[in-house]
Amino acid sequence: MPSLNIGVLVSGNGTNLQALIDAVEKGKIKGTVSVVLSSREDAYALKRARNHGIEAVFLDPEKYPDRDTYCKALARELKRRQVGLVCLAGFMYILSPYFISQFKYRIINIHPALLPSFGGKGMYGYHVHEAVINSGESVSGCTVHFVDEGCDTGPIILQSMVSVLSDDTPEKLAQRVLTEEHRIYPEVVRLFSEGKIIIENSTVKIKD
Ligand code: GRF
């Protein structure tokens, strides 16, 4: 298989981006992080990318008249670099149907809960972990899934579970979940880069 060009979309700290960069540098992923695109100028993820010599571009949503135009600009940046896999890593912007159609089954996201539970509108960051604790669940975790036009609804690729402890706060739970995110996100990208993720009737099969 040819080496995969990976584009990562970010808006914040970028610890998942870092996990992907580290896995590429260690040779675990057969590919390159070709570009990092951010919807926020102050995203620390941009600095992480530049520290590794990766092109990092801030595209300001405010400079575009609407979502469609902004997402077309994102798609253009990715296509210019022949990106074959788009990884959302804390990207706080809803992609347009056009964008999704351009990269069908080539966009993946990491969500800090066990989807289909605790997903959907408003379920991000602190809110997810707070909702999990308030619901009395004894387990949480993270999910890597393909992105479709819904919110957190695309086919699930891989999940990892963590315990919810009796004295958990959203911050403590977030940290435990994040450790698992950093393990499974690079693993999914590795599988993708090796052509081991197959979709049959909208369901994911992994051959490893
Ligand atoms: C992670 O918790 C991820 O699950 C969610 O956004 C957060 C991003 O964190 N989609 P980071 O920017 O990768 O540190």
Side-chain angles (χ1 to χ4, degrees):
M1 281 195 77
S3 176
L4 180 68
N5 288 329
I6 302 160
V8 186
L9 271 51
V10 297
S11 303
N13 188 349
T15 63
N16 279 288
L17 166 69
Q18 189 69 56
L20 297 178
I21 293 172
D22 293 347
V24 166
E25 288 186 351
K26 285 185 190 141
K28 290 185 181 162
I29 293 170
K30 203 167 163 266
T32 315
V33 179
S34 305
V35 68
V36 171
L37 302 177
S38 176
S39 62
R40 292 192 53 166
E41 192 168 23
D42 61 354
Y44 186 65
L46 287 169
K47 189 163 188 322
R48 290 181 191 271
R50 289 174 188 140
N51 284 344
H52 290 262
I54 297 166
E55 206 183 343
V57 183
F58 161 54
L59 278 188
D60 188 354
E62 307 275 304
K63 294 247 167 74
Y64 296 82
D66 52 40
R67 179 183 313 279
D68 279 354
T69 324
Y70 181 63
C71 289
K72 277 192 176 141
L74 290 173
R76 235 186 346 263
E77 293 292 333
L78 296 165
K79 286 181 183 176
R80 260 182 56 201
R81 297 166 178 90
Q82 280 94 41
V83 163
L85 177 66
V86 182
C87 296
L88 309 187
F91 186 59
M92 299 298 289
Y93 193 90
I94 295 169
L95 294 166
S96 68
Y98 167 83
F99 184 98
I100 289 160
S101 73
Q102 294 301 295
F103 295 94
K104 193 165 163 64
Y105 291 130
R106 291 190 163 271
I107 313 168
I108 60 176
N109 179 46
I110 182 135
H111 184 79
L114 295 175
L115 292 174
S117 300
F118 303 103
K121 219 163 168 251
M123 279 292 153
Y124 61 89
Y126 183 94
H127 303 290
V128 177
H129 305 296
E130 187 181 50
V132 169
I133 290 170
N134 290 342
S135 74
E137 294 282 349
S138 59
V139 291
S140 188
C142 51
T143 304
V144 180
H145 64 97
F146 282 110
V147 174
D148 65 8
E149 289 182 14
C151 191
D152 301 326
T153 52
I156 290 172
I157 306 170
L158 196 63
Q159 297 184 299
S160 179
M161 250 165 56
V162 304
S163 298
V164 179
L165 306 179
S166 56
D167 64 345
D168 258 341
T169 59
E171 290 83 359
K172 282 198 212 167
L173 179 56
Q175 199 47 53
R176 198 174 312 117
V177 171
L178 204 53
T179 302
E180 283 309 293
E181 293 184 34
H182 299 160
R183 192 176 65 75
I184 71 166
Y185 211 6
E187 173 62 5
V188 169
V189 176
R190 175 187 76 79
L191 290 165
F192 188 96
S193 72
E194 294 174 8
K196 290 180 173 162
I197 301 179
I198 318 284
I199 329 268
E200 276 174 18
N201 304 322
S202 308
T203 306
V204 172
K205 298 223 160 73
I206 295 177
K207 45 167 198 170
D208 203 16

